[in-house]
Each structure stands twice: as C-alpha cells, then as structure tokens.
C-alpha cells in the first residue's frame, strides 16, 4: 500500500490535499475596476499586478461577461497595459467601470498560526496548514469546441451561489470591424441566475488577420470554485 496522506472531496473525484505537492490556497482577493479604455471603443480593462507569484490561478465572480488572461507586457505593444517586465492579470469587459471580484490562488507557503493541522512532504517542507484558505474545487463545466460563436451565449450549467469561475483556456476570435483592421474578441465568463455563461467580449487588441481564431477547435473546461469560506479582500 503506498504511503502518504491525501484528502478528496465528498464524491471522491477531486484531490484537495496531497503530501507530495503544495496545495493551491488563496494568495490575494479583492475587486478590480475595469476603467482602462485604451482604444476608445467598448473594451474596458482592469489590471492586477501579480509579478513574482509562482503558479497563479484566477477565478472571478462577475455578473457581467469578463475575459481573464495573464499578460507580460514588452513595452513595445499596448504600453498602456502595465509596465515592461511585470506580470498582470488582465480583466476585459464591455461595461465601463465594471467591478470584478477576483480570487487569486497560488502554490505558496501561506501564513499559518501555531495551532491546527500541518502536513509536510518527505523533504520537510510544509505543504498544508489548516489555517490556509484552500482552493476548494466543487465541479467542472464543459464547453464544447466551437461553442459559442462570437455573437452567441452558451449556458455551461448551474453553479448555485457562492461560486467563482476559473477558465482553463483563452479562446480568441478575430474579425475586421474597426476601420477595416482586425479586432479580437475573447471568451468571457459570468454568473447569472446561478448559471455559468460563456460569451465573447470585444477586446480591442488588433488581431493577426480577419478570421484568425485561436483554440476554437478545442473543448474548454471551467473550474467551479466555492467561495463560501473565502474572504472578499485578502492579501
């Protein structure tokens, strides 16, 4: 029988704690205002500086469609999106000043008190503390390849309350609209009426060429995360 320590969710299909790996726990949470309107179009962007964070995963609670991606500006293209050499989470909506609630998780040695349960790996490094705000995965939603198209909305399923959504892919559709220049649309998520919806938001960035699409032929998966025990502002 293999040695070690593992904890699974109630239905047994999601591994939450393993003594061989540092669990994902909350590193930062808060609200970002999407108020950068770089192209004077309908794209509104908010930035969160995450430079130095090890393995970021970002989940959002948003009533308005929001595209989420991690970027590292070079300083040559779109300099309004942060500083060269830094790393950011970029939130894009088509609603001016939209407030996006985010939860940023990482594999890191978070602060812990002097009491509670601690788990260490074979090298003596702490991989879990019961004080940590864990990334509690409660489900996965499947989004079929090619779904939705640029002008449609796809209901990915019911998630209930106290949930946040984390995308695993960033799909892109490019079309000629603004003065004939290709413009990108990026897939976005929101929670409305207890359901997770996927659609596209105009991102404003000029694309490679009209009709250039990225990852449209690949099924997407959305991670559903419980926020019932997570603070809205942390870190």
């Amino acid at each position: 029988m293999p040695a070690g320590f593992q904890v699974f969710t109630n239905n047994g299909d999601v591994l939450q704690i393993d003594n061989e790996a540092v669990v994902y726990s909350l590193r930062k949470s808060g609200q970002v205002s999407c108020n950068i309107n770089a192209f004077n179009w309908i794209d509104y962007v908010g930035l969160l500086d995450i430079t130095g964070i090890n393995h970021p995963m970002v989940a959002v609670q948003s009533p308005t469609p929001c595209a989420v991606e991690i970027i590292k500006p070079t300083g040559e293209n779109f300099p309004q999106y942060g500083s060269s050499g830094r790393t950011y989470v970029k939130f894009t909506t088509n609603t001016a000043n939209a407030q996006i609630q985010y939860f940023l998780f990482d594999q890191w040695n978070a602060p812990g008190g002097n009491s509670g349960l601690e788990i260490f790996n074979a090298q003596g490094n702490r991989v879990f503390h019961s004080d940590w705000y864990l990334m509690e995965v409660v489900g996965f939603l499947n989004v079929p390849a090619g779904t939705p198209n640029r002008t449609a909305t796809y209901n990915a399923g019911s998630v209930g309350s106290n949930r946040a959504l984390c995308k695993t892919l960033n799909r892109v559709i490019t079309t000629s609209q603004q003065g004939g220049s290709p413009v990108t649309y990026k897939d976005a998520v929101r929670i409305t009426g207890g359901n997770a919806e996927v659609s596209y938001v105009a991102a404003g960035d000029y694309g490679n060429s009209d009709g250039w699409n990225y990852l449209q032929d690949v099924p997407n998966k959305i991670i559903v995360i419980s926020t019932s025990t997570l603070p809205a502002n942390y870190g």
Side-chain angles (χ1 to χ4, degrees):
M1 176 178 177
F5 182 90
Q6 293 181 322
V7 176
F8 291 82
T9 52
N10 289 337
N11 56 11
D13 64 350
V14 179
L15 178 64
Q16 294 287 103
I17 302 171
D18 190 322
N19 68 294
E20 294 299 321
V22 179
V23 298
Y24 271 91
S25 64
L26 188 66
R27 185 145 190 177
K28 189 176 180 64
S29 63
Q31 302 78 43
V32 166
S33 179
C34 295
N35 53 20
I36 303 173
N37 183 223
F39 294 92
N40 295 315
W41 202 33
I42 59 173
D43 54 303
Y44 297 91
V45 169
L47 295 177
L48 174 67
D49 194 325
I50 60 168
T51 304
I53 290 181
N54 302 323
H55 304 101
M57 293 187 69
V58 186
V60 294
Q61 268 180 346
S62 175
T64 187
C66 178
V68 183
E69 57 191 316
I70 294 176
I71 65 170
K72 194 166 186 177
T74 64
E76 299 173 359
N77 298 320
F78 314 128
Q80 60 274 26
Y81 292 152
S83 302
S84 178
R86 308 292 293 178
T87 303
Y88 301 87
V89 181
K90 180 185 175 188
F91 305 86
T92 304
T93 76
N94 291 158
T95 303
N97 301 311
Q99 299 294 310
I100 306 300
Q101 173 70 52
Y102 69 86
F103 299 91
L104 173 66
F105 300 93
D106 189 17
Q107 288 180 301
W108 69 305
N109 206 311
N114 295 323
S115 62
L117 174 67
E118 290 183 304
I119 299 173
F120 295 82
N121 62 16
Q123 291 73 42
N125 300 314
R126 185 170 64 175
V127 298
F128 170 82
H129 194 294
S130 54
D131 283 349
W132 294 355
Y133 294 108
L134 298 187
M135 186 178 78
E136 183 183 353
V137 176
V138 294
F140 299 91
L141 301 174
N142 295 308
V143 183
T147 303
N149 62 40
R150 185 179 66 80
T151 59
T153 298
Y154 178 74
N155 186 336
S158 175
V159 296
S161 59
N162 298 316
R163 299 289 187 260
L165 306 177
C166 177
K167 293 192 307 174
T168 57
L169 291 177
N170 287 307
R171 293 168 163 178
V172 175
I173 294 177
T174 306
T175 182
S176 292
Q177 282 198 357
Q178 192 172 345
S181 299
V183 176
T184 61
Y185 291 79
K186 298 179 180 178
D187 64 340
V189 293
R190 73 165 180 163
I191 298 176
T192 178
N195 294 313
E197 285 189 354
V198 182
S199 60
Y200 279 86
V201 294
D205 316 290
Y206 292 148
N208 291 352
S209 61
D210 184 21
W212 181 84
N213 300 329
Y214 184 59
L215 296 177
Q216 282 298 297
D217 57 348
V218 178
N220 203 348
K221 192 175 288 291
I222 298 173
I223 304 172
V224 183
I225 296 169
S226 172
T227 62
S228 59
T229 61
L230 300 180
N233 294 279
Y234 178 81

